[in-house]
Amino acid sequence: MEKLLALALAGACSTAAAQTPANNPMPDGSRDMYVGLGVASAPVYEGADERREQALPVLQAAWSNGVFISGLSAGMHLSNQPSLEFGPLLAVQRRRSEKGLSDDIGAVFSGTGHTIVRDPSPNKAGMVVNRLTGVDVQHTRLQAGGFLNYYLTPQLRVTNTLLYGSGNGRNGALWRVGLQHIGADLGPHHFVSVGVGATLANRSHNQAFFGISADEAVRSINPEYAAGGGLKDIHATARWNWSFSPSWLLVTGVQATRLRGSAADSPLTERPTNLTVSTALAYRF
């Protein structure tokens, strides 16, 4: 289960919110669960220059029938082959308003988090600039799709997730592909995993989150911009687990993301390269 949790707390990172945990065979009728509390530092929205530091609840669970909950996603492992994982997947696309992404990063249940948002930096004229002012709110959406992972070795796997339903039109699609090394013991009770990946998006998703319509251009400081589909970002992750007792675990993750293509060229993008850092203390039931 340590490997599973090492891959799950990337829920604080939008590009990994639907990442599927490794399958963990267990006796029939059993389950494995972690709950905890952590903190994350992340951009206010994808491409933002400003950052948000936020407390967040953590929940991850897996059952012997293959069902799992991991961050903002849930799914089911259907394969009995140790080298192949596949199944259906549901994930929440977080709401984006003038204040940025919604506060519930890393959580799959309602909770009150303490959020600190830094004041926007002034521009050269000394005026505070918020590029999301006047831009349509993108409402919370439930995305549906599936995952397919293949193990090249017991520790190295190729991951694929495909999700549909993002954006106000519910017609945005995201395909995430990655390569993960999910097992490296640095010593007693210490475990590290690393990975690289890319996200491809269709035009509807990129237009919803990076495009500017004619009406939005009138209401905001942004020029009209038509976003296209294709490569949206590339990213690299590293995660460290420290099991300092059979029940308590400290999990820390770092993800570097660089926007590409239409996402990087969008007038909403202030910083195409950004870093997300999260750490959490979790208790195993």
Side-chain angles (χ1 to χ4, degrees):
M1 186 65 176
E2 290 181 8
K3 293 181 181 180
L4 189 154
L5 194 67
L7 297 175
L9 290 180
C13 312
S14 61
T15 57
Q19 196 173 85
T20 57
N23 196 10
N24 187 42
M26 60 186 76
D28 289 344
S30 62
R31 57 111 174 106
D32 211 351
M33 181 179 295
Y34 284 87
V35 296
L37 184 67
V39 63
S41 175
V44 174
Y45 65 90
E46 285 189 276
D49 185 46
E50 304 304 322
R51 301 182 63 80
R52 170 184 291 145
E53 285 73 43
Q54 179 183 9
L56 66 149
V58 173
L59 171 63
Q60 179 165 302
W63 287 266
S64 59
N65 61 2
V67 174
F68 63 85
I69 298 173
S70 178
L72 290 175
S73 63
M76 185 174 186
H77 286 282
L78 297 180
S79 174
N80 293 321
Q81 302 179 41
S83 62
L84 185 66
E85 299 169 341
F86 63 85
L89 185 66
L90 297 174
V92 175
Q93 173 68 61
R94 289 179 288 144
R95 181 178 185 268
R96 192 193 70 182
S97 67
E98 182 178 326
K99 296 180 180 179
L101 291 172
S102 58
D103 292 345
D104 55 351
I105 61 174
V108 294
F109 55 93
S110 298
T112 301
H114 179 65
T115 304
I116 303 172
V117 182
R118 298 174 183 169
D119 292 333
S121 301
N123 62 11
K124 293 181 179 179
M127 299 176 61
V128 172
V129 174
N130 183 351
R131 294 191 175 275
L132 292 182
T133 300
V135 175
D136 291 344
V137 173
Q138 294 297 322
H139 297 286
T140 302
R141 291 288 182 256
L142 181 64
Q143 301 169 281
F147 65 93
L148 175 65
N149 306 326
Y150 180 74
Y151 284 80
L152 303 174
T153 71
Q155 286 77 39
L156 189 66
R157 70 173 182 171
V158 177
T159 64
N160 288 272
T161 62
L162 181 63
L163 290 167
Y164 183 81
S166 62
N168 287 341
R170 296 185 174 89
N171 56 355
L174 290 171
W175 175 31
R176 295 186 175 97
V177 60
L179 181 66
Q180 297 174 343
H181 189 279
I182 61 173
D185 293 319
L186 297 184
H189 314 298
H190 294 274
F191 176 89
V192 171
S193 65
V194 295
V196 294
T199 306
L200 289 88
N202 69 351
R203 186 187 65 81
S204 296
H205 177 91
N206 276 349
Q207 181 62 29
F209 288 92
F210 297 99
I212 300 294
S213 68
D215 289 342
E216 289 173 323
V218 173
R219 301 192 304 260
S220 71
I221 63 171
N222 306 294
E224 186 175 353
Y225 179 73
L231 181 63
K232 184 180 80 71
D233 68 64
I234 55 176
H235 50 270
T237 60
R239 299 180 189 96
W240 165 54
N241 281 8
W242 175 26
S243 301
F244 50 88
S245 82
S247 298
W248 288 97
L249 183 70
L250 182 68
V251 185
T252 301
V254 178
Q255 176 165 304
T257 303
R258 181 167 181 83
L259 296 176
R260 307 292 293 175
S262 289
D265 295 335
S266 168
L268 294 177
T269 299
E270 301 167 329
R271 182 187 293 270
T273 302
N274 243 311
L275 194 69
T276 298
V277 181
S278 62
T279 187
L281 182 65
Y283 181 79
R284 183 182 186 183
F285 288 87

